[in-house]
């Protein structure tokens, strides 16, 4: 465990955010800059969008490096940092189909490279893991000690298993090399700056509704998700960084909703004439997903503050400016 004095020393050093041009990464960069930190953002732009960093690019305390965390030399060249948020990885179900090897490499080789850099510089590392490590859960809600029900050979396994491996990398280095680290398991984060063609349910429904197209619900829509707004997610990641907790700790919103109910809410908020169409359910799609956030509340003093209706409003506003 790291004492307060070393935490204060790190606060005077730069923060590295991998996956900085993604939705979560770019919001995290903005918040760190508002807190007065010097930030290095790294992204290979495979799924991240440089436009997400528009305001950060105008800040002299921010520097952007286009590079890949799977390249050991690129990570090593980033220099001395005090804190690392490792968010780099494609994360959409559509990405599972188009870039599965890149996902495997980011979660495995990329995490190993970032962990090695954290050890070298004495930095605290926060790993962005995922609720996908629980697979199609047989325990509900999901608590951190649940070991999951993951299909290791299925189409989602490139993401599920890379994140599970990444957790093992961080935990092993913490035990054997004194790595100061925290593992966050995040649940269905949404918010402005998601990609139009992201493939995840929130941007898909909002874009379809704004265009007056049918909202495509997979299966009968009874499967549930728990949606956490990006602003809440960023607060959770910062709280984990400021702590001495290794975790894993769930950071998500326990307000569980069915996908069909989400579709109806999006139609209401957009005043869209869109109908709802049902499509076949993809293989291994989880039937339910809801975090137990007891540890986050007790150890981090964190809980979500933004309700789904309010949060979806920010997404509708964002895509209303960009979607035609």
């Amino acid at each position: 465990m790291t004492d307060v004095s070393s935490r204060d020393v790190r606060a005077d050093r730069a923060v590295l955010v991998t996956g900085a041009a993604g939705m979560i990464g770019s919001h995290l960069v903005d918040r760190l800059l508002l807190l007065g930190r010097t930030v290095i953002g790294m992204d290979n732009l495979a799924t991240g969008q440089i436009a997400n960093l528009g305001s950060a690019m105008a800040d002299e305390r921010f520097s952007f490096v286009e590079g890949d965390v799977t390249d050991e030399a690129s990570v090593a060249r980033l220099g001395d940092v005090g804190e690392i948020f490792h968010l780099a990885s494609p994360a959409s179900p559509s990405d599972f189909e188009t870039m599965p090897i890149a996902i495997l490499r980011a979660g495995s080789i990329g995490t190993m490279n970032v962990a090695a850099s954290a050890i070298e510089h004495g930095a605290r590392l926060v790993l962005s893991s995922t609720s996908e490590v629980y697979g199609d859960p047989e325990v509900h809600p999901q608590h951190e000690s649940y070991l999951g029900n993951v299909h290791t050979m299925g189409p989602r396994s490139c993401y599920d298993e890379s994140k599970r491996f990444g957790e093992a990398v961080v935990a092993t280095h913490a035990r054997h090399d004194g790595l100061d680290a925290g593992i966050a398991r995040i649940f269905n984060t949404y918010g402005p700056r998601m990609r139009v063609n992201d493939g995840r349910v929130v941007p898909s429904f909002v874009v379809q509704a704004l265009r007056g197209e049918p909202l495509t619900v997979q299966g009968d829509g009874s499967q549930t998700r728990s949606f956490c707004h990006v602003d809440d997610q960023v607060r959770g990641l910062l709280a984990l960084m400021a702590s001495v907790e290794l975790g894993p700790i769930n950071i998500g919103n326990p307000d569980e909703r069915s996908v069909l109910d989400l579709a109806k809410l999006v139609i209401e908020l957009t005043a869209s004439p869109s109908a709802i169409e049902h499509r076949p359910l993809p293989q291994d799609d989880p039937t339910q997903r809801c975090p137990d956030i007891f540890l986050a509340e007790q150890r981090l003093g964190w809980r979500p503050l933004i309700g789904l209706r309010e949060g979806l409003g920010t997404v509708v506003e964002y895509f209303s400016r960009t979607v035609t």
Side-chain angles (χ1 to χ4, degrees):
M1 295 175 66
T2 304
D3 62 27
V4 174
S5 62
S6 61
R7 181 80 71 240
D8 291 342
V9 169
R10 279 206 296 270
D12 294 331
R13 297 158 65 193
V15 184
L16 169 63
V17 178
T18 73
M23 187 265 292
I24 300 176
S26 62
H27 283 276
L28 177 59
V29 166
D30 287 348
R31 179 58 62 89
L32 288 165
L33 291 171
L34 282 174
L35 293 172
R37 303 300 301 275
T38 298
V39 183
I40 302 168
M42 184 179 193
D43 203 299
N44 65 3
L45 302 179
T47 58
Q49 303 174 94
I50 199 67
N52 288 343
L53 294 169
S55 60
M57 289 292 195
D59 194 316
E60 62 182 11
R61 292 166 302 160
F62 178 71
S63 57
F64 177 73
V65 177
E66 185 174 349
D68 197 312
V69 291
T70 64
D71 180 0
E72 183 178 0
S74 293
V75 175
R77 283 196 296 269
L78 295 173
D80 185 31
V81 294
E83 297 173 352
I84 302 174
F85 292 90
H86 180 34
L87 283 69
S89 177
S92 168
S94 60
D95 300 330
F96 304 165
E97 298 179 5
T98 60
M99 51 182 73
I101 305 304
I103 292 171
L104 285 168
R105 289 174 57 83
S108 56
I109 298 169
T111 303
M112 293 180 74
N113 289 340
V114 171
S117 180
I119 293 168
E120 178 184 357
H121 297 295
R124 177 164 169 81
L125 167 64
V126 165
L127 172 69
S128 173
S129 186
T130 174
S131 61
E132 292 291 331
V133 302
Y134 299 122
D136 189 5
E138 297 173 334
V139 170
H140 194 73
Q142 292 80 61
H143 51 78
E144 291 86 348
S145 60
Y146 175 52
L147 299 181
N149 177 37
V150 176
H151 183 186
T152 62
M153 301 287 285
R156 304 174 73 94
S157 64
C158 59
Y159 188 64
D160 303 354
E161 293 300 287
S162 71
K163 290 296 188 179
R164 284 157 64 100
F165 181 82
E167 289 191 8
V169 168
V170 170
T172 301
H173 278 303
R175 283 193 301 269
H176 292 277
D177 302 307
L179 172 65
D180 182 9
I183 299 169
R185 288 180 177 164
I186 68 177
F187 282 68
N188 294 95
T189 309
Y190 72 100
R193 303 179 188 168
M194 299 187 88
R195 294 174 290 159
V196 170
N197 60 347
D198 182 275
R200 281 175 281 197
V201 66
V202 169
S204 294
F205 283 177
V206 171
V207 170
Q208 288 169 339
L210 289 173
R211 290 174 172 168
E213 300 170 351
L215 273 63
T216 51
V217 171
Q218 296 172 336
D220 64 5
S222 63
Q223 66 272 32
T224 66
R225 298 292 183 267
S226 298
F227 302 99
C228 186
H229 191 270
V230 66
D231 289 350
D232 282 332
Q233 190 63 245
V234 165
R235 284 194 306 104
L237 293 173
L238 289 171
L240 181 56
M241 178 61 80
S243 77
V244 294
E245 299 293 337
L246 172 61
I249 295 182
N250 291 335
I251 299 180
N253 192 324
D255 177 19
E256 184 180 11
R257 304 289 185 104
S258 75
V259 171
L260 185 58
D261 284 344
L262 174 70
K264 293 175 180 177
L265 181 55
V266 168
I267 290 173
E268 176 191 339
L269 291 174
T270 55
S272 174
S274 296
I276 292 174
E277 288 187 358
H278 292 269
R279 302 283 178 84
L281 195 66
Q283 180 181 344
D284 300 329
D285 192 64
T287 56
Q288 55 186 4
R289 194 57 69 67
C290 181
D292 181 324
I293 62 169
F294 176 81
L295 289 182
E297 292 178 316
Q298 295 297 310
R299 299 185 183 180
L300 304 181
W302 176 91
R303 67 174 294 105
L305 302 176
I306 300 174
L308 184 59
R309 178 178 290 271
E310 177 188 355
L312 284 175
T314 69
V315 181
V316 171
E317 179 184 3
Y318 173 75
F319 280 121
S320 294
R321 300 193 305 266
T322 58
V323 171
T324 57

